[in-house]
Amino acid sequence: MKKVFVETLGCQMNKSDSERILGMLSHFGFDEAERAEDADFLIINTCSIRQLSADKAYSRVGVWGKWKQKNRNLKIAFCGCVAQQDKDRLLKRFPYLDLVFGTHNIYQLPELVKRIYEGERVCAITQKPYIVDETQYEIKRADSLNAWIPITEGCDNFCTYCIVPFTRGRERSREPEKIIKEAEIAIKQGFKEITLLGQNVDSYGKTLGENVTLANLLRQLNKLEGKFRIRFVTSYPTDISDDLIDAVEECDKVCEYFHIPMQSGNSEVLAAMNRRYNREQYGAIVKKIRDRFEDVTITSDFIAGFPGETEEQFLDTLSAIDEFGLDYSNTAAYSPREFTKAAKWTDKFIDEDTKIKRLATLNEKVKEACLKSNKKFIGKTQEILVESSEEKDGQCILAGRARNNKIVHFSGDSSLIGQFVNVKITGASVWHLRGELL
Ligand code: SAH
Ligand code: SF4
Ligand code: F3S
């Protein structure tokens, strides 16, 4: 049996793709290798959201290229968002690559693998998805409790900084029947949480007809039997409909957790980013959700140092985190990306030092907000899905997640992993809560 190793550098969608790649290859005689060093076939699944992520892919594959000098039979493939962007430039730049395949070409893999084992060097990048019935293949899920289920892929928003519309293509949704079937299988296999994925998960169904919406999909999934949780990421602020909020409230399995990237707290910067809302509109959406759910967590993403961002405009981002009580935020310094509009505004670029300084200030604000948010839960009881255990000073410390996605540590027996338990929250730090098993 040949052994394949997939290294994944990107977001949840990227991780989900790797699980599908491994599953598909298992049908063609490939076993998963535990370490890259043990594999006959190496695949790097890349992310292009920032230059840093792309550079990581280039340097990693460079290391693999050296291994190939000692092992001529080793096959190396490069896929994911950097592949979709760089195309056959990659074959020229890295002469030891056997295969480059794009985000649209994952399900072409059986044919592509055959060709590289016949000695060909192949670049398979198309602008339209290569369509097969993907439900015929297994999925080798990396986690044993949470199952990622992609429901929509691609993006038509063209925010001026973002590469995703170029690497993932136009927005398209999977049929509800396929998603429900996949969820049913996962639940039967013992998964306790399903997370629906999409670059704009809340615009799910647009291409499929009027009644196909995220809200209705949640209602259908909620009817499946068994004790499990449902989450969905990532939401575009103005695509969160009242019906979606209603569905979250109605459906007991759907968790009170919303990831709604704001990107900037300043309305002029938001307009330059081509986001379809201003500061006030974003605030109104957050308020609407908070008014409905007591223990809800609302998280966000922010970019520091977008071209032309003034110090004052940056301060609006800090104040937005406070004003809207955002529980946690991912942060990044602006990174110019090929093909995107903002990358051409070089005269407005913010210098590296300022960007780094703003990012550090932003990160401090995020930490402060996290601690404040966590402290609100002291004294409350939360339902926790136990995920892992660790020995600490002779004690078994369990870690798990509340419905609102907060991480909670408490002592207990490792046999509780995979179970739902009630925990009383007794303490809070920046990155997690502490509690006592009830
Ligand atoms: N679809 C989601 C975001 C997907 S990309 C949305 O619309 O919010 C994930 C995050 O990466 C973005 O939220 C943004 O904060 C960050 N990001 C995207 N492009 C970037 C760039 N060029 N430089 C820095 N951060 C970027
Ligand atoms: Fe990128 Fe904007 Fe699409 Fe999100 S909505 S994936 S930030 S273009
Ligand atoms: Fe990165 Fe592509 Fe995801 S660019 S963030 S792996 S969609």
Side-chain angles (χ1 to χ4, degrees), residues 186-216:
I187 293 153
K188 250 190 217 131
Q189 288 169 336
F191 287 88
K192 300 292 177 205
E193 196 168 270
I194 57 177
T195 304
L196 309 177
L197 297 179
Q199 271 83 36
N200 294 288
V201 77
D202 46 351
S203 73
Y204 170 74
K206 266 189 193 156
T207 47
L208 296 178
E210 215 173 287
N211 290 324
V212 187
T213 61
L214 178 59
N216 285 339

Side-chain angles (χ1 to χ4, degrees), residues 135-150:
T135 56
Q136 66 187 297
Y137 298 121
E138 269 179 74
I139 302 162
K140 295 259 180 227
R141 300 194 186 275
D143 195 272
S144 55
L145 295 175
N146 176 58
W148 307 113
I149 304 188

